[in-house]
């Protein structure tokens, strides 16, 4: 039988093993924090806190380190994956997460195969979903789609990306990768030499993955010593992030000069596109990274993928490439989220509580 860690292996870039993260708590998981998610929806990262983010990562590490498929924790549960916007990794990793835990999937891979093509409202579709499944995982190009479907939907809803809004599960995957890469970041008191300077290339106000990643980064004061936002816009943050940035004790800078700051960064987080109105816009060419970029020795790059020209394939074979290992952890994070929201933690054997 193939082990979970072999299943998750990335073919290029460093491997990230779950055991060092589990060792921080002697293999224990914050079950109380996870149990609080039972029956809830996950729409926006502001619903989370550092404790919950760390607990999800702990459970994901446990799921990755051992084979729990025989426990069949999602047996009898049906997940609806409703993707009204194109997706490869998010939809397939969610469906893999459900199926590997013995749940079942009803999939809407394209909004045009639904009543939307005939003018049906998202609210009415939500009403129908109540009778079809136990949890709804939705991606939609309209930022207000979550509000619309929630008018009638009474099942837990997981936001898999809503226009220029948020992508909370992707941010959890991002932080799972970082916590495996440097487990000391999960400690409330992180040693000074392990604290990190994060650079975010993009426009958080209009890039949902960047926005959600930054939201979670702001929760890790004491582990994140500085955040530098690198953008062509003078004000790239947007209203949704202004208050949490102002309240954060973390030092935050904004610059448009990627070359001057790049050698200082421990982590570079980037995405390829910003969602502006009803279309996408790619990053400017000056923000592209390749093997000639002046990256700090030991620095790592995160990217939610898919990529365009901003991230050269030359970097795939280097130790800077954390983005493939980041993607490899997606199934386990989404399994942890689903098991918690669907209140099936009791069916997973071997959970040791903190």
């Amino acid at each position: 039988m193939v082990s979970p860690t072999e299943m998750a292996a990335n073919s290029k870039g460093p491997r990230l093993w779950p055991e060092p993260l589990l060792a921080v708590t002697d293999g224990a998981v914050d079950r109380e924090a996870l149990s609080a998610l039972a029956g809830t929806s996950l729409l926006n990262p502001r619903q989370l806190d550092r404790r919950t983010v760390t607990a999800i990562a702990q459970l994901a590490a446990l799921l990755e380190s051992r084979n729990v498929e025989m426990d069949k924790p999602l047996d009898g549960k049906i997940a609806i994956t409703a993707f009204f916007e194109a997706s490869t990794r998010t939809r397939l990793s969610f469906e893999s997460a459900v199926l590997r835990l013995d749940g079942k999937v009803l999939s809407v891979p394209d909004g045009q195969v639904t009543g939307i093509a005939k003018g049906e409202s998202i609210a009415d579709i939500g009403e129908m979903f109540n009778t079809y499944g136990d949890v709804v995982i939705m991606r939609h190009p309209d930022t207000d789609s979550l509000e619309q479907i929630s008018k009638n939907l009474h099942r837990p809803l997981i936001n898999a990306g809503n226009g220029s809004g948020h992508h909370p599960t992707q941010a959890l995957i991002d932080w799972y990768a970082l916590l495996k890469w440097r487990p000391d970041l999960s400690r409330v008191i992180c040693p000074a030499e392990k604290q990190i300077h994060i650079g975010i290339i993009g426009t958080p106000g209009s890039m949902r993955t960047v926005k959600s990643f930054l939201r979670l980064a702001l929760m890790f004061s004491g582990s994140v010593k500085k955040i530098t936002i690198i953008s062509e816009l003078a004000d790239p943050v947007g209203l949704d992030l202004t208050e949490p940035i102002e309240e954060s004790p973390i030092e935050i800078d904004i610059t448009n000069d990627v070359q001057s700051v790049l050698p200082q960064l421990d982590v570079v987080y980037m995405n390829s596109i910003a969602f502006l109105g009803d279309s996408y816009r790619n990053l400017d060419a000056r923000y592209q990274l390749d093997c000639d970029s002046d990256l700090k020795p030991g620095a790592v790059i995160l990217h939610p993928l898919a990529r365009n020209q901003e991230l050269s394939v030359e970097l795939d074979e280097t130790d800077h490439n954390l983005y493939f290992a980041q993607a490899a952890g997606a199934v386990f994070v989404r399994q942890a989220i689903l098991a918690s929201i669907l209140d099936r933690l009791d069916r997973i054997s071997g959970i040791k509580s903190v």
Side-chain angles (χ1 to χ4, degrees), residues 42-55:
L42 178 54
L43 308 181
N44 190 306
R46 67 170 169 256
Q47 298 171 240
L48 303 168
D49 55 22
R50 179 174 181 159
R51 178 184 175 186
T52 305
V53 173
T54 304

Side-chain angles (χ1 to χ4, degrees), residues 50-340:
R50 179 174 181 159
R51 178 184 175 186
T52 305
V53 173
T54 304
I56 290 170
Q58 290 168 341
L59 180 56
L62 178 67
L63 295 169
E64 185 174 354
S65 66
R66 47 184 294 274
N67 197 319
V68 300
E69 294 179 18
M70 298 303 293
D71 295 336
K72 301 182 178 181
L74 295 188
D75 181 31
K77 293 294 185 180
I78 297 175
I80 298 172
T81 53
F83 280 69
F84 299 93
E85 180 188 345
S87 170
T88 303
R89 280 153 295 278
T90 302
R91 182 170 70 87
L92 292 183
S93 63
F94 260 118
E95 293 181 359
S96 177
V98 174
L99 293 170
R100 288 182 180 278
L101 297 185
D102 218 48
K104 295 179 174 60
V105 172
L106 295 177
S107 184
V108 178
D110 181 352
Q112 292 306 305
V113 303
T114 72
I116 292 288
K118 297 183 287 186
E120 186 176 19
S121 70
I122 290 290
D124 281 356
I125 288 177
E127 181 66 44
M128 299 303 102
F129 283 169
N130 289 325
T131 60
Y132 298 158
D134 301 290
V135 61
V136 176
I137 302 149
M138 187 177 79
R139 169 173 287 187
H140 200 284
D142 294 340
T143 304
D144 69 350
S145 57
L146 303 176
E147 180 182 353
Q148 295 302 313
I149 197 169
S150 296
K151 290 179 179 179
N152 293 337
L153 181 68
H154 303 302
R155 299 294 189 183
L157 174 63
I158 298 175
N159 179 13
N162 63 313
S164 61
H166 279 283
H167 199 343
T169 65
Q170 179 61 54
L172 288 165
I173 291 162
D174 303 337
W175 273 92
Y176 180 48
L178 284 180
L179 295 179
K180 284 195 293 180
W181 169 67
R182 188 166 291 182
D184 282 317
L185 297 173
S186 68
R187 300 182 189 275
V188 176
I189 301 176
C190 178
E193 68 275 12
K194 299 293 186 179
Q195 295 176 19
I196 56 174
H197 181 182
I198 297 176
I200 295 176
I201 300 179
T203 308
S206 56
M207 302 170 84
R208 65 190 178 206
T209 55
V210 175
K211 184 189 300 182
S212 294
F213 174 79
L214 177 54
R215 265 279 188 179
L216 295 196
L218 293 171
M219 300 175 187
F220 280 80
S221 61
S223 297
V224 176
K225 60 186 176 185
K226 186 175 181 180
I227 298 171
T228 300
I229 300 171
I230 306 157
S231 174
E232 58 190 325
L233 299 183
D235 182 15
V237 172
L239 293 175
D240 193 38
L241 289 166
T242 299
E243 184 176 346
I245 284 176
E246 290 176 348
E247 293 177 350
S248 175
I250 299 171
E251 180 183 355
I252 298 171
D253 283 345
I254 298 175
T255 182
N256 62 4
D257 187 356
V258 64
Q259 299 306 323
S260 67
V261 73
L262 197 58
Q264 307 167 30
L265 303 177
D266 301 297
V267 176
V268 181
Y269 188 91
M270 64 190 317
N271 194 3
S272 60
I273 50 179
F275 193 82
L276 301 173
D278 58 355
S279 62
Y280 291 99
R281 177 181 174 184
N282 288 307
L283 286 176
D284 189 275
R286 60 186 151 156
Y287 301 114
Q288 295 177 3
L289 297 181
D290 57 33
C291 281
D292 293 326
S293 299
D294 193 12
L295 289 159
K296 179 180 179 180
V300 294
I301 302 168
L302 294 179
H303 193 303
L305 305 175
R307 63 175 159 189
N308 291 313
Q309 299 301 313
E310 78 288 344
L311 181 59
S312 172
V313 295
E314 297 174 352
L315 288 162
D316 293 357
E317 301 286 357
T318 72
D319 287 341
H320 298 303
N321 168 13
L322 211 65
Y323 39 90
F324 285 167
Q326 171 191 1
V331 168
F332 303 108
V333 172
R334 289 178 167 135
Q335 285 179 334
I337 294 166
L338 288 162
S340 300

